[in-house]
Amino acid sequence: MRVSVFTEPHRGATYDDQLRFARAVEAGGFEGFLRADHYQFLGTEPGLPGPTDAWLTLAALARETTRIRLGTLVTSATFRLPGPLAVMVAQVDQMSGGRVELGIGAGWYEREHISYGIPFPGVGERFDRLAEQLEVITGLWRTPVGETYSFTGEHYRLVDSPALPKPVQRPGPPVIVGGRGPTRTPQLAARYADEFNMPFKSVAETAVAYERVAEACDRHGRPASGREPLVLSAAIAVAVGRTDAEARLRAAPLHAKSALPPEDAVVGSPARLVDRIGEFAAVGATRVHLRLTDLADLDHLELIAAEVLPHLARADAAATGG
């Protein structure tokens, strides 16, 4: 099981807070550090000192870390044009030595768009734009050096792009598509993604989503088309502690009023988290993204590194006969 940590700096975190946390993630033996791409807190708090841009932050972290994967869960397709976004991600991939992943979605939080003057079309158009962005970004990365890339869609048009720079990872950084949608999300994942992520839902709901994605892959001829099978992952909201009281204290932010839909969080002992990850593995997940709310709470991170990761490593060794 691959284990990454997912953070939400829009709740209130400076770049230095994120750097300290990312270094602790790397030291703790986790696979990756992924962050949300939001410009505003989703609840009633101001999220001081204010937002930090996801890709600007990841570029800096790329130079301050050496091993961990770095990426977004997820970049909003409404925030950036696909051509410049392909350039940004490719450059950060170069800066990191090939450790970047692009999680991308249609965008959903209207308030932050209004606050910062970002157009926010209806949901159908947002998904149409996401589909075109995925086509453009992956097309730019896959274009051989010395050739050009052109694309004409309803929302974007590229003419004879040099399709540069190229990322270190070829044909491009892994693309993560995820969400609860029953139709378009599985289709987009099957066509363009390397990983499908189900965020913060129960094991049973996640299993149903995985089945929908598998059916979409069959319809699109994957993996018969030569593409690798999709990585299936789950994002889990986590609040664990050495005692029940400690776990409840860490879980308090999970109960605050928010624009997020209800979540199936893991609150309790590290052993409970180990069990939940095992349940996700049983329905097909090979990767989990653990969402930790407080970037100042390095003890929470260290507890998981000490009491969860070794159990998962032993389980993986047993499953492979190691």
Side-chain angles (χ1 to χ4, degrees), residues 176-213:
I176 305 171
V177 170
R180 305 168 184 87
T183 305
R184 296 199 68 177
T185 297
Q187 292 172 359
L188 291 174
R191 289 181 62 188
Y192 298 107
D194 300 282
E195 176 178 333
F196 171 78
N197 176 258
M198 184 61 166
F200 314 123
K201 303 304 286 185
S202 70
V203 174
E205 291 170 299
T206 300
V208 172
Y210 289 170
E211 291 172 1
R212 289 195 294 258
V213 170

Side-chain angles (χ1 to χ4, degrees), residues 5-13 18 33-42 51-58 61 70-76 79-80 101-105 108-109 112 200 260 289-293 295:
V5 175
F6 168 60
T7 64
E8 296 179 323
H10 56 275
R11 290 177 176 266
Q18 295 172 74
F33 171 93
L34 291 91
R35 57 154 287 166
D37 186 14
H38 281 294
Y39 288 129
Q40 197 163 341
F41 188 40
L42 308 183
T52 52
D53 181 82
W55 285 102
L56 186 60
T57 299
L58 292 172
L61 295 178
L70 299 166
T72 49
L73 277 180
V74 295
T75 281
S76 175
F79 287 174
R80 303 168 186 87
E101 306 185 19
L102 171 63
I104 186 168
W108 63 274
Y109 190 42
E112 67 186 333
F200 314 123
L260 289 169
H289 303 280
L290 308 181
R291 192 187 79 197
L292 305 185
T293 300
L295 276 80

Side-chain angles (χ1 to χ4, degrees), residues 2-322:
R2 301 163 56 194
V3 184
S4 293
V5 175
F6 168 60
T7 64
E8 296 179 323
H10 56 275
R11 290 177 176 266
T14 65
Y15 169 72
D16 286 338
D17 294 330
Q18 295 172 74
L19 174 59
R20 187 180 307 109
F21 199 83
R23 284 174 168 166
V25 168
E26 187 161 76
F30 296 90
E31 182 192 45
F33 171 93
L34 291 91
R35 57 154 287 166
D37 186 14
H38 281 294
Y39 288 129
Q40 197 163 341
F41 188 40
L42 308 183
T44 57
E45 299 297 323
L48 296 175
T52 52
D53 181 82
W55 285 102
L56 186 60
T57 299
L58 292 172
L61 295 178
R63 307 302 293 178
E64 299 286 355
T65 57
T66 60
R67 181 189 59 78
I68 51 172
R69 307 289 299 174
L70 299 166
T72 49
L73 277 180
V74 295
T75 281
S76 175
T78 56
F79 287 174
R80 303 168 186 87
L81 296 172
L85 179 58
V87 171
M88 289 182 207
V89 178
Q91 183 177 359
V92 179
D93 197 50
Q94 291 178 358
M95 294 168 71
S96 70
R99 294 183 284 124
V100 160
E101 306 185 19
L102 171 63
I104 186 168
W108 63 274
Y109 190 42
E110 183 176 13
R111 192 176 82 175
E112 67 186 333
H113 291 75
I114 295 172
S115 294
Y116 288 97
I118 304 169
F120 187 72
V123 64
E125 181 177 331
R126 296 201 306 276
F127 269 92
D128 291 342
R129 288 179 176 272
L130 172 61
E132 290 189 18
Q133 288 218 1
L134 286 163
E135 180 69 37
V136 168
I137 292 167
T138 56
L140 287 168
W141 289 340
R142 291 173 186 273
T143 300
V145 174
E147 297 184 14
T148 61
Y149 174 82
S150 297
F151 173 83
T152 299
E154 184 178 349
H155 303 286
Y156 306 105
R157 181 170 181 260
L158 290 76
V159 179
D160 295 334
S161 170
L164 297 172
K166 296 302 182 194
V168 171
Q169 299 174 92
R170 303 305 301 270
V175 173
I176 305 171
V177 170
R180 305 168 184 87
T183 305
R184 296 199 68 177
T185 297
Q187 292 172 359
L188 291 174
R191 289 181 62 188
Y192 298 107
D194 300 282
E195 176 178 333
F196 171 78
N197 176 258
M198 184 61 166
F200 314 123
K201 303 304 286 185
S202 70
V203 174
E205 291 170 299
T206 300
V208 172
Y210 289 170
E211 291 172 1
R212 289 195 294 258
V213 170
E215 292 168 359
C217 286
D218 288 341
R219 288 195 298 271
H220 288 280
R222 182 179 182 171
S225 63
R227 296 194 64 191
E228 292 293 324
L230 268 176
V231 171
L232 300 177
S233 67
I236 312 172
V238 174
V240 300
R242 296 173 182 82
T243 65
D244 289 343
E246 187 176 68
R248 287 194 299 270
L249 183 64
R250 288 184 168 132
L254 303 178
H255 306 301
K257 185 177 180 181
S258 169
L260 289 169
E263 301 172 340
D264 189 31
V266 174
V267 180
S269 67
R272 180 171 294 183
L273 178 57
V274 172
D275 290 343
R276 179 68 61 85
I277 292 172
E279 292 169 1
F280 278 116
V283 300
T286 59
R287 189 182 196 191
V288 291
H289 303 280
L290 308 181
R291 192 187 79 197
L292 305 185
T293 300
D294 186 358
L295 276 80
D297 188 0
L298 297 184
D299 182 66
H300 195 191
L301 186 69
E302 291 164 0
L303 175 63
I304 296 170
E307 300 294 336
V308 174
L309 295 189
H311 289 279
L312 300 178
R314 287 194 289 271
D316 288 344
T320 58

